[in-house]
Amino acid sequence: MASTSRPDEASVERLRSHLRGVVITSDHADYDSARSVWNGAIDRRPFVIARPAGTADVITTLAFAREHRLPVAVRGGGHNVAGFATVDDGIVIDLSAMKGIRVDPVARTVRAQGGALWSELDQETQAFGLATTGGLVSSTGIGGFTLGGGIGWLMRKHGVAADNLISADVVTADGELVIADEEGNPELLWGLRGGGGNFGVVTALEYRLHPVGPTVYGGVVFHPVERAGELLRFYSEWTRSLPDELTTMVVFLSAPPEQFIPAEMHGRQMIAVACCHTGTAAEGEESLKALRDFGDPVADVVGPISYSALQGMFDASAPRGIHAYWKTHHLPDLPESAIDTIVAQAAAMTELFPLSAVHLHHVEGAVARGSSDQGAFSHRDSRFVLNLLGQWMQDATADSHISWVRDSWEALRPYATGSPYLNFLGDEGSALARAAYGADTFARLTALKKKYDPTNTFRLNQNIPPA
Ligand SMILES: Cc1cc2nc3c(=O)[nH]c(=O)nc-3n(C[C@H](O)[C@H](O)[C@H](O)COP(=O)(O)OP(=O)(O)OC[C@H]3O[C@@H](n4cnc5c(N)ncnc54)[C@H](O)[C@@H]3O)c2cc1C
């Protein structure tokens, strides 16, 4: 690839005059906030940040990138932990101004532009008592989340977000608009359901919706970390017989300074089980009884809650600008020795408080019943997805957080499939990106890549090289 150079002012001015949206360069007052992403450890300086107002702007911006041979980063909600949504000496196509959302309550579908966030989509769909599987933190973008699979509170009943994607508008590297759905370009739709941002800029996504809430039954049960081994043993068995309406996850975290936690416990390490049941309150209560009766919880804040509030339940734990390094495994099961290892590694995290955490997502249900024919999202047969989250605010502590994540990931490797979950994967190189898919799915994706992006314009992602 030829080296890139900063486009001159006249070229940038031309781009500006052709867009309905905004163009930001380093002399702009908003440059520093515009170049930042969720992960504060990522510090990159693009030549140009374009905020398209619509598809025409995306096409024009891609033409500009081609003309100046600029590396292209595409940004939805900016949450990607690897920081692929920004780039040094290149151009960012930041979709954050494209947030149009239209719900069809009769057909039970929603169509949203690529810059929408889950909080925004949920607000529109919940007005009609509808929802689709979204993220556990409401400021996550629908774009990156869905293209990487998308696990969330509704997944065991309705599949991952990608399973609910029924059509997408995609601007390819050469500026062509392709509409992917089951009737037209079904192979592209298959690839978008888990193949990441490899095929183009997705300017709009359309989803299937389901009746959800507005009130669901859920919340969090907190236990002292000393009970972690017992709780995980219980959890491993209990989750074998849960109804699809109930999705749960285990979290090792620092006790939040909330009224419902005794003051002397604030800031201490705890193990918690978070949950969401989308059936009736009576069904939710019944399904969660064994969990709530287990042991002697420090706090039990489970009950009827609005679905939108539940979707924002973890927002405060993931502020924009936090520094983050994550590593992830698929765990087929939780044998005794895996539980012991998780408990030991979580204990080693104590000094890394209050922001680092371990998340163990129970999957199965509708996710496991899906297949690789449906979409590129892979590894549906693992019972659990594990995410090791090293998170801090000051650079000085970065090394200890990163070492803890790496050590823990290595220690848990014997119990893992060897494949990461794409949405939690950092910038770890091509072997792990490939391992996020099975060999057949990866080969099918490389063929699709060759068709839609043969020169690998969209390579700032978990990259699929053209076949
Ligand atoms: C606090 C937090 C909570 C999270 N919770 C969950 C969770 O519950 N479940 C889960 O599965 N994941 C979760 N994630 C991971 C998240 O799904 C991924 O980081 C995802 O990439 C975020 O999407 P985004 O649009 O916000 O990110 P961005 O950083 O904007 O985008 C990530 C990448 O996706 C591609 N992309 C994004 N939008 C488009 C588009 N419109 N067209 C083409 N390519 C695009 C680009 O390649 C881009 O580099 C979480 C992440 C964070 C930081």
Side-chain angles (χ1 to χ4, degrees), residues 226-430:
E226 293 74 19
R227 303 293 301 275
E230 277 168 81
L231 182 65
L232 281 174
R233 281 175 182 84
F234 160 80
Y235 185 74
S236 173
E237 286 313 307
W238 176 65
T239 46
R240 288 187 198 282
S241 54
L242 298 185
D244 291 349
E245 284 76 11
L246 179 57
T247 298
T248 64
M249 72 185 281
V250 169
V251 187
F252 285 85
L253 77 177
S254 155
E258 299 283 356
Q259 264 184 347
F260 53 77
I261 306 261
E264 67 277 13
M265 310 284 277
H266 291 176
R268 282 183 43 193
Q269 191 182 27
M270 294 217 169
I271 180 168
V273 183
C275 54
C276 171
H277 190 291
T278 55
T280 64
E283 289 164 350
E285 199 168 332
E286 174 61 26
S287 300
L288 284 156
K289 188 172 183 322
L291 170 70
R292 300 175 76 193
D293 286 349
F294 176 83
D296 187 15
V298 172
D300 174 341
V301 277
V302 174
I305 177 173
S306 83
Y307 176 68
S308 298
L310 191 93
Q311 282 286 85
M313 181 165 72
F314 287 121
D315 285 5
S317 68
R320 188 183 165 90
I322 192 174
H323 293 216
Y325 178 81
W326 297 357
K327 270 178 104 63
T328 160
H329 278 308
H330 276 104
L331 302 180
D333 211 340
L334 274 185
E336 291 276 323
S337 48
I339 290 176
D340 293 343
T341 310
I342 293 174
V343 172
Q345 291 306 132
M349 181 181 76
T350 315
E351 286 169 18
L352 306 175
F353 269 12
L355 297 169
S356 288
V358 177
H359 292 176
L360 183 71
H361 302 259
H362 172 235
V363 191
E364 302 190 292
V367 181
R369 290 192 295 274
S371 82
S372 55
D373 295 339
Q374 245 170 287
F377 174 75
S378 300
H379 306 298
R380 293 175 178 271
D381 50 354
S382 285
R383 294 193 66 212
F384 300 98
V385 170
L386 180 84
N387 198 13
L388 300 156
L389 305 92
Q391 300 185 146
W392 63 97
M393 278 302 185
Q394 286 171 356
D395 274 335
T397 58
D399 289 349
S400 50
H401 287 85
I402 292 169
S403 302
W404 168 73
V405 171
R406 289 186 175 149
D407 292 349
S408 302
W409 188 84
E410 282 300 338
L412 284 157
R413 214 172 170 168
Y415 311 104
T417 60
S419 57
Y421 169 47
L422 199 86
N423 268 352
F424 297 155
L425 182 60
D427 191 359
E428 304 272 337
S430 57

Side-chain angles (χ1 to χ4, degrees), residues 8-18 23 64:
D8 60 34
E9 271 179 41
S11 313
V12 174
E13 215 34 64
R14 257 197 315 280
L15 175 66
R16 205 168 260 136
S17 69
H18 284 122
V23 173
F64 177 86

